[in-house]
Amino acid sequence: MRTILTMMLTLLMGSTALAQGTVDDYKRANALRGKYSGKMTGGDVNVHRMRGQGHKFWYSVFNGDSTIYKEVDADKNTVTLLPGNPEPPRRRGGWGGPQRHWMEVPDEKDGWQRSPIDSTLFIFHRDNNLWTRQGNSEKPLTTNGDSTNYYSAWGRFSPDGRYYATVRIKPAPKHYVYYVEAMPSRQQRKREAYQTHDGGPRAVTPVLHKQEYAKPGDSLNYRVPVVVEVATGRVVEPSTELFKHQYETSAPSWDDNSRTLTFTFNERGHHTYRLLELDAETGKVRTLIEEKNDKYVNYNRLWRHDLADGRRILWTSERDGRNHIYLYDRQKAQLIRQVTKGEFYVRDIQRVDEKAGVVYFSANGKSGLRASDKVGTADEEDPYLIHYYKIGLDGKHLVCLTPEEGNHSVTYSEDMKYLVDTYSTVTTPPVTVLRSGKDGRILRTLETADISRLKAEGWTAPEVFVAPGRDGVTPMWGIILRPSNFDPTKKYPIIEYIYSGPGDQYVPKSFRAWHWGMAELAELGFIVVQVDGMTTSFRTRAFEEVCYKNLKDAGFPDRKAWIRAAAEKYPYMDIDRVGIYGCSAGGQNAMAAVLWHGDFYKAAYAACGCHDNRMDKIWWNEQWMSYPIDESYKECSNVENAWRLERPLMLVVGELDDNVDPASTMQVVAALQRAGKNFDLVVIPGAHHTMGETFGEHKRADFFVRHLLGVNPPKWNELK
């Protein structure tokens, strides 16, 4: 009997020692933001170029007591403390009048253009046609436009004023979504409030909102570039053979010769993208540059620069598997050379110095791109870290201007002679330096962040963790966050924060004092992780293209392999208790985790998820899932696969989500109900696209405490 009592006492003491998700844990988690805020000095540098001031910059920085402002004179290599606040005042409110929602496609019927040759001559839109105005005289320039095929007002005169180029638009029916605002905002109440019989205020009725919102498979406007001779009204309308099956065709842009124009064609389904040339006299169209891919062309990453000689074009493309810079001969419509090449990924182009024959660009990739003694070792630099470079148009003389290990952010002087560079990693605080634009040599250290006060508060940096993904070879990069009272003798459930939408990478690469959401969850007694698996961007095209018609993949085979490797290294990570949460595409991912990988993920919190790609915005979903709509959309749908659910799930949706149609979540709800599944639903009145607001954040904490820690969370009134 004594032995049994001793065993029970030991178990009771053990469970007390391992207590997590307590009132104290919640209070400590809720205090993190205030606890860490303002504890780093010299790190939050915000740099601005002083236009028209030669080689001068100014920047703001927090010094521990307040934000101060400094001026840098690069020529003199001096730094001067500025009095007061040099930041320009911010404009209050909007520009007046109704603001267009970013989903809305404009009709292009408003606006006018002035002739570059005759300042009294204007062209504008009226009754679906183009009209001219000169003095008090107005007359139609075209007469064949109607409501089914009209002229856009958004056109351009040729440099010599002889022609006017625009597009004719065959409009498609608009698709709308509707939201009911159950409790209208204070402003809405003011406009619509009415009185009860005794004169007291009374709540208004709900408000119905209507929003333009094109979805995959919807018909789109059909646009044909046209040229109109201003003197005669002669319309040159080209054959559409090279831009027939369009997702979008851009407005034409004039060349300096006033004879040719260029425009772009993005094919529906995104397998082909063309830069096209239009002859204003003949209407002939020819291809200058073409991108083709059997999966998709990443058209948002394409970049173009026409050189001043009118004969050459700089262009970026992922055609060799990574984003690189190419030089084209425009006259011959042929590639001259690939300017950059290698195991790195061009992220942006800052400047083309044609006189010097130099391109300035930023890139991430192998640290071998820099002079590094870490190449091929376990300490090789994170391939996502961004560095800045310059290279000759001939593809020679590559110079790394920011060689120090870190994620770099740069502001150049107008002539690129100097740059101010701030760099850091997740584990190393920021350093800001003044550099030479010629060779990247550091001329002066401007600021070095001090995090001693942050550390005094118990702050510790996340761990950068690297492990192979699904193929056992390709390294996956992520971070691990532990609670501030971390005890390696305890066992901790794991929670993954996920966003695996293609088009970007998401694991932080620069220093942060506070990892919002993740740090608070960790403080409750969890190990919180984040990793970029396949389907995300900036490694190789093949790395991202796993997502093609397969968004449900979300890199899960890589994520599971990475988490298993971490748990093998750190036995206190409980691989049998793994949860996951995310918002938007991350909300879709989080629910997919428990539908298809419920053997691994034991609970999921999914906020504002695009749970069925047929229900979400057209441009994002057709980019990765293609067109026309096929069975792959159903195969990836959380709605169609809701019957698979066997794990705890909390769904969250903002009542007024104008990014992902809230009906996407409600369709999941209906499917789960039909399948007889148990789940939690949290609706946030008045909220737009959200992780959950304060209420939802608390619900998420309780959800994981209950389902992963196995304890009842504290009552909310105990936390006040």
Side-chain angles (χ1 to χ4, degrees), residues 244-349:
K244 185 183 299 182
H245 304 294
Q246 54 182 261
Y247 172 79
E248 184 178 40
T249 297
S250 71
S253 179
W254 286 100
D255 296 318
D256 291 340
N257 60 19
S258 293
R259 171 67 186 263
T260 54
L261 308 94
T262 56
F263 63 99
T264 58
F265 160 66
N266 188 354
E267 183 183 50
R268 191 80 184 261
H270 308 297
H271 300 298
T272 304
Y273 190 97
R274 295 188 181 109
L275 175 63
L276 299 169
E277 179 186 87
L278 168 63
D279 188 300
E281 281 285 340
T282 66
K284 181 180 178 181
V285 178
R286 69 176 183 131
T287 300
L288 298 178
I289 302 174
E290 181 178 81
E291 295 289 334
K292 292 189 77 70
N293 192 308
D294 61 348
K295 294 183 173 65
Y296 55 83
V297 175
N298 249 323
Y299 63 92
N300 288 312
R301 293 184 196 153
L302 297 174
W303 170 90
R304 163 195 170 193
H305 174 84
D306 291 15
L307 274 69
D309 60 15
R311 299 182 59 87
R312 294 176 296 168
I313 301 172
L314 281 171
W315 183 263
T316 58
S317 170
E318 291 183 314
R319 68 186 60 170
D320 80 343
R322 293 178 174 86
N323 205 38
H324 280 295
I325 304 171
Y326 295 80
L327 183 64
Y328 272 85
D329 183 314
R330 175 168 178 171
Q331 303 302 316
K332 297 179 180 178
Q334 291 179 354
L335 177 66
I336 298 173
R337 71 178 60 90
Q338 184 173 345
V339 177
T340 63
K341 61 181 66 176
E343 294 185 23
F344 60 97
Y345 192 104
V346 172
R347 297 291 293 271
D348 197 11
I349 289 86

Side-chain angles (χ1 to χ4, degrees), residues 644-665:
R644 298 175 181 271
L645 182 69
E646 299 295 339
R647 297 295 184 185
L649 170 68
M650 178 172 282
L651 296 168
V652 179
V653 64
E655 177 187 53
L656 300 177
D657 189 345
D658 56 355
N659 185 328
V660 175
D661 186 348
S664 184
T665 295

Side-chain angles (χ1 to χ4, degrees), residues 345-363:
Y345 192 104
V346 172
R347 297 291 293 271
D348 197 11
I349 289 86
Q350 291 78 46
R351 174 76 64 85
V352 179
D353 185 340
E354 296 187 34
K355 185 177 180 181
V358 172
V359 182
Y360 293 82
F361 68 98
S362 54

Side-chain angles (χ1 to χ4, degrees), residues 109-148:
K109 292 185 176 182
D110 58 335
W112 49 267
Q113 291 289 326
R114 186 198 303 265
S115 168
I117 304 302
D118 183 351
S119 62
T120 68
L121 176 63
F122 299 85
I123 289 181
F124 64 98
H125 178 100
R126 176 184 289 168
D127 298 331
N128 301 308
N129 280 285
L130 299 176
W131 284 60
T132 62
R133 177 186 297 125
Q134 196 159 23
N136 294 324
S137 174
E138 295 181 350
K139 62 180 182 180
L141 181 61
T142 64
T143 57
N144 61 338
D146 58 37
S147 61
T148 65

Side-chain angles (χ1 to χ4, degrees), residues 498-514:
I498 187 170
Y499 191 101
S500 191
D504 209 336
Q505 64 84 207
Y506 307 96
V507 176
K509 299 302 172 183
S510 298
F511 188 87
R512 296 179 184 178
W514 175 60

Side-chain angles (χ1 to χ4, degrees), residues 10 62 114 122 238 261 267 531 546 632 648 716:
T10 301
F62 182 68
R114 186 198 303 265
F122 299 85
L261 308 94
E267 183 183 50
V531 61
V546 172
S632 66
W716 287 27

Side-chain angles (χ1 to χ4, degrees), residues 101-103 177-179 211-215 499 583-588 606-621 638 652-668 687-690:
H101 189 277
W102 61 275
M103 288 274 197
V177 295
Y178 299 87
Y179 317 107
Q211 176 192 324
E212 184 178 336
Y213 194 115
K215 297 187 176 185
Y499 191 101
C583 178
S584 194
Q588 178 186 22
C608 292
C610 38
H611 294 292
D612 189 311
N613 298 105
R614 296 168 295 186
M615 284 289 292
D616 193 27
K617 63 197 79 66
I618 187 171
W619 61 266
W620 198 86
N621 295 273
N638 290 347
V652 179
V653 64
E655 177 187 53
L656 300 177
D657 189 345
D658 56 355
N659 185 328
V660 175
D661 186 348
S664 184
T665 295
M666 291 307 176
Q667 289 186 1
V668 167
H688 292 265
H689 199 55
T690 179

